[in-house]
Amino acid sequence: MPTKTNIPYTNGVYFITFTCSNWISLFEICNAYDLVYKWFNYLIEQGNYIVGYVIMPNHIHAIIAFKDNKKSINTIISNGKRFMAYEIVKRLYDQKHFEILNHLQSIVSEKEKAKNKIHCVFEPSFDWKECNNETFINQKLDYIHMNPCHTKEPLVEQPQDYIYSSAKFYINGVQDCITIINSLELDDIDLS
């Protein structure tokens, strides 16, 4: 799953965004928010840190501090997307969403079909920005946390009320099902 440009490093703090194919609300349709949490917990087990996130019905924004484990960050993200895609397809089958499955199958490129890909669950690329200072991180955290409030039809009025977000940690000090590391603690962490 290519990015527009590859992340040239194996560690660092990055603002990552990836989207469901054609902006279909697959996380909501399949109630697949838990899959993102499983991926986040796997990342934490591997020595990485989740700084902030929001799981929208059709896309994810996250700030992740990647510890150098000799794998490319692109590979780590591609593997996470692949894990979630398999599970989402399984849930779509289980829930008999055949129209969506047919659509996801119809948009697979010929190149990907040649690699035996059956469904296109996520857009092939993802966006990333390196977070190299506290001001930029705080700007991205504000963007992430306000995302559910700024949709065409707002999902919540206050960012801390959206349950699939780290806003409740930053605003109310409440940890949820994954451990968030406060952005202010990043200076004390060795990612090498």
Side-chain angles (χ1 to χ4, degrees):
M1 295 180 180
T3 59
K4 292 178 182 171
T5 58
N6 285 331
I7 298 174
Y9 309 109
T10 56
N11 69 335
V13 182
Y14 293 91
F15 172 67
I16 305 291
T17 300
F18 57 89
T19 307
C20 297
S21 290
N22 296 142
W23 290 86
I24 300 170
S25 295
L26 294 173
F27 292 113
E28 180 179 54
I29 292 166
C30 299
N31 193 21
Y33 300 96
D34 64 308
L35 299 176
V36 182
Y37 289 120
K38 284 180 184 176
W39 180 57
F40 284 165
N41 280 320
Y42 174 78
L43 291 175
I44 292 167
E45 288 169 12
Q46 300 301 306
N48 304 294
Y49 300 90
I50 308 301
V51 179
Y53 72 92
V54 66
I55 310 165
M56 298 296 285
N58 57 13
H59 66 283
I60 297 168
H61 295 296
I63 299 175
I64 304 172
F66 292 95
K67 186 173 177 82
D68 190 354
N69 63 11
K70 307 305 178 220
K71 287 185 185 174
S72 81
I73 294 171
N74 293 61
T75 298
I76 293 168
I77 293 168
S78 292
N79 287 344
K81 288 170 66 177
R82 189 174 299 110
F83 155 75
M84 287 182 264
Y86 283 124
E87 289 297 317
I88 287 170
V89 166
K90 181 182 182 309
R91 290 180 187 189
L92 289 169
Y93 273 113
D94 291 347
Q95 297 167 10
K96 301 183 181 357
H97 289 293
F98 300 120
E99 188 174 321
I100 295 171
L101 285 163
N102 289 338
H103 176 71
L104 296 178
Q105 193 170 14
S106 73
I107 60 176
V108 176
S109 71
E110 291 303 319
K111 182 179 177 183
E112 293 296 319
K113 284 179 186 175
K115 296 178 188 175
N116 296 320
K117 184 172 183 173
I118 300 171
H119 300 94
C120 185
V121 174
F122 294 106
E123 292 295 324
S125 64
F126 67 90
D127 292 323
W128 63 273
K129 294 194 180 347
E130 186 173 12
C131 300
N132 49 19
N133 65 59
E134 190 176 327
T135 301
F136 188 75
I137 292 172
N138 289 332
Q139 176 192 39
K140 291 303 175 191
L141 282 170
D142 288 344
Y143 176 80
I144 286 170
H145 295 152
M146 292 305 294
N147 210 242
C149 304
H150 290 164
T151 58
K152 194 174 192 177
E153 294 179 29
L155 301 173
V156 292
E157 288 184 29
Q158 299 297 317
Q160 65 270 26
D161 295 334
Y162 190 66
I163 60 173
Y164 306 113
S165 167
S166 58
K168 57 196 159 296
F169 170 73
Y170 281 96
I171 296 169
N172 299 331
V174 176
Q175 288 278 9
D176 58 9
C177 58
I178 63 160
T179 302
I180 303 295
I181 183 167
N182 191 305
S183 62
L184 299 175
E185 296 176 60
L186 287 173
D187 288 340
D188 299 330
I189 294 173
D190 181 11
L191 295 174
S192 58

